[in-house]
Structures are given as C-alpha cells and as structure tokens.
Amino acid sequence: MEDVIIIGAGPCGLSAGLELRKTGIDPLIIEKECVVHSIYLYPTYMQFFSTPELLEIGGYPFSTPHEKPYRIEALHYYRTVAERSKLRIESYRTVTAIEKKPDGHFELTVANRSGERYTAEAKHVIVATGYFDHPNLLGIPGEELPKVTHYYREAHPYTGMKVAVIGGSNSAIDAAMDLMKAGADVTVVYRGEGYSGVIKPWVLPIFESMVNKGRIRMLFRSQVIRIEETTITITQEGAERTLDNDFVLALTGFRPDRKLITAAGAELNENGESPIFHPETMETTVPGLYIAGVAASGKNANEVFIETGRLHGGMIARDIERKQKRSS
C-alpha cells in the first residue's frame, strides 16, 4: 500500500513528488509515456514564454544562458531533476481506472505497454495528467486524412509545400513563421477579427511584417469547412473559397480528459468544464483524491501553466501531512 500515488510525470507531477518528499513521504509516480512527455511534444526549437526561475521545481536551479529557455533545455532540466532526486517513476504504465474502496483507500488499475493489467493501492492519489493526448477536433469532413495533424514539431518536412495553419494562438503563429523560413507556402486560417491578444509581443511585429510583405497569407474571420486530398475549402464572411493544399496543421488547442477522475466520483462544476476542488488543498469532492496542473483547468487548458501548476504540489503535500498528523 502506497501512501501516495501520483498519476503523471510532467513538471507538476514531479513537483508534487518533490514536495511530498519534504514531508517524509516517498510517492510512486506512474507515467504512461516518458518523463515530461508534454514538453517532449512541443515544437523542436520552441522557446518558453517563462523565465527559467518560474519553471523550477523542488528547489533545483534551472541554469541556462538564455533569458527564456528552450524546449531542449527544459527536457534536460526536468530529466536531471527526476534522476538526481531519485523519484520513483514507473514510465510507460497507463492508469485506466481509480476506485475508492469502502475502507477509504484507492485501488488503481494499471496497464503496461503489453496491455497486461495489474492493480496498485494507495491512501491518497494525485492526478497530474496533461492534455496533449486530446486535441480540440474541428469536426469537419477530411479531418481524418493523413495530411492533417494537430501537432507541430518542425518545419523541414513541409519545405516547398502548400500548408494551411488553422488557429491564431502562439503555437499557430510560431509554426507559420518557421514554415515560411523553411520555404513553405503558408496560409493561416483564423476565425478571429484580428490578431489574438495572447501572441508574444516580440513575435507579433515580425509576423505582421511578413504578412504585409506577402510572405505569409493571413485570413481573418475565416474557417476551414472541408479538407480534401489536394485542397481545402474555407468560408470567409459568408463566401466559400477553395485553396490548393498539401498539408493542414490544425493547431486549435487541447483539452484535459475528465473521465479518470469523474469515474472515481469526482464532481465537475455546473458547466461540466472543470473539476470542483478546494483551492487551498487541490482536493476534489472525493476525499484523498487530488488534482494538480492542467488537470485543474477549465475548458481553456492554457489557464494553468507550469509556473502556476508547479505550486499545486506544495499545497497538496501540506494537506496530506496535516491529515497524517491528525490520524497519528
């Protein structure tokens, strides 16, 4: 019987593990992919919006010569923290169910890479799962075609190709800039009236300049309504247009999956978008079941970042420590 099992070895799951260590608890972390898999899925050359100090966990310094670190530096940092702290991490194990037993402890159903299932038991469970496995789908004909992806890694495969980028957030703008530099013919399709207010301020002027020079085609108030092998069809201000197209990057964001915690009995708010939890302890409506990081967000997963989600672990650790002292 474990004192605590943490589901997810992202930055917020690792932070929770380190904070629990400070209280004398050695948690087990179960991760269905690799450590910080969400960061691994970021674009290869992505630079963070945050400074390194805001990405630090467990008191381990994040050293970098850059004002804002890059993806590869973050991978090295979190991997090194996990190794040096000797956190107990079982990678490539998927928790498929959480059940609260009559005596108050939790039983987790876990599957390994071969599909073999086993159970693990814990007095407390922290769900620190991310959201990259669940993109916001467009729900349009042709979205299932091989030329469509909801993930962007790097520009090289798209050199000389006609690429449509759907979205207007930082991920879409950064991808469009990379694609242009690699020689792709880029069209950005965005339903907004103008540029999004969340675009990084040092990127927007450069992007606008590329649009004004005709190096990137920017279509506002527009939506892709159909994708075919060699074309896409968009609607813009009531009129339909068909554009030649080789690839579609549907960078429309992601959403957390609530099935794991709701099946365990945790309640969602009235609109069903986010779990109900105590803001000072991160405990859900199921006693002993906690959430950390993006798992605590609403419909917009970007409302919780690493710099805020990393603090959830300390709140949870303090609450569990208080409970253990009361029961001893």
Side-chain angles (χ1 to χ4, degrees), residues 63-75:
S63 299
T64 170
H66 305 106
E67 180 181 355
K68 300 179 188 299
Y70 287 82
R71 165 189 170 273
I72 192 169
E73 295 177 297
L75 288 175

Side-chain angles (χ1 to χ4, degrees), residues 4 6 10-20 23 54 56-58 125-129 258 275 277-284 289-298 301-322:
V4 180
I6 301 171
C12 300
L14 296 178
S15 177
L18 295 169
E19 294 300 324
L20 285 163
T23 70
L54 294 176
E56 291 177 352
I57 59 174
V125 174
I126 301 171
V127 178
T129 50
R258 307 293 184 205
F277 61 92
H278 194 291
E280 295 179 3
T281 67
M282 306 304 295
E283 188 173 33
T284 69
L289 179 62
Y290 299 83
I291 51 176
V294 173
S297 69
N302 290 327
E303 64 192 43
V304 177
F305 298 94
I306 295 174
E307 55 262 43
T308 52
R310 66 182 179 144
L311 304 178
H312 296 165
M315 300 159 65
I316 296 169
R318 288 189 292 271
D319 190 58
I320 293 176
E321 183 180 32
R322 283 192 295 266

Side-chain angles (χ1 to χ4, degrees), residues 189-191 220-226 233-236:
V189 182
Y190 181 46
R191 62 184 178 183
F220 293 109
R221 301 177 296 281
S222 59
Q223 290 180 270
V224 176
I225 59 173
R226 185 168 57 256
T233 300
I234 68 168
T235 178
Q236 186 176 35

Side-chain angles (χ1 to χ4, degrees), residues 260-274:
L260 194 62
I261 62 170
T262 54
E267 298 177 12
L268 303 181
N269 61 13
E270 291 182 356
N271 56 24
E273 293 180 355
S274 59

Side-chain angles (χ1 to χ4, degrees), residues 239-265:
E240 289 190 10
R241 298 170 57 187
T242 298
L243 305 176
D244 292 337
N245 173 264
D246 297 306
F247 292 97
V248 175
L249 302 181
L251 306 182
T252 51
F254 302 85
R255 55 180 174 77
D257 186 8
R258 307 293 184 205
K259 294 177 183 176
L260 194 62
I261 62 170
T262 54

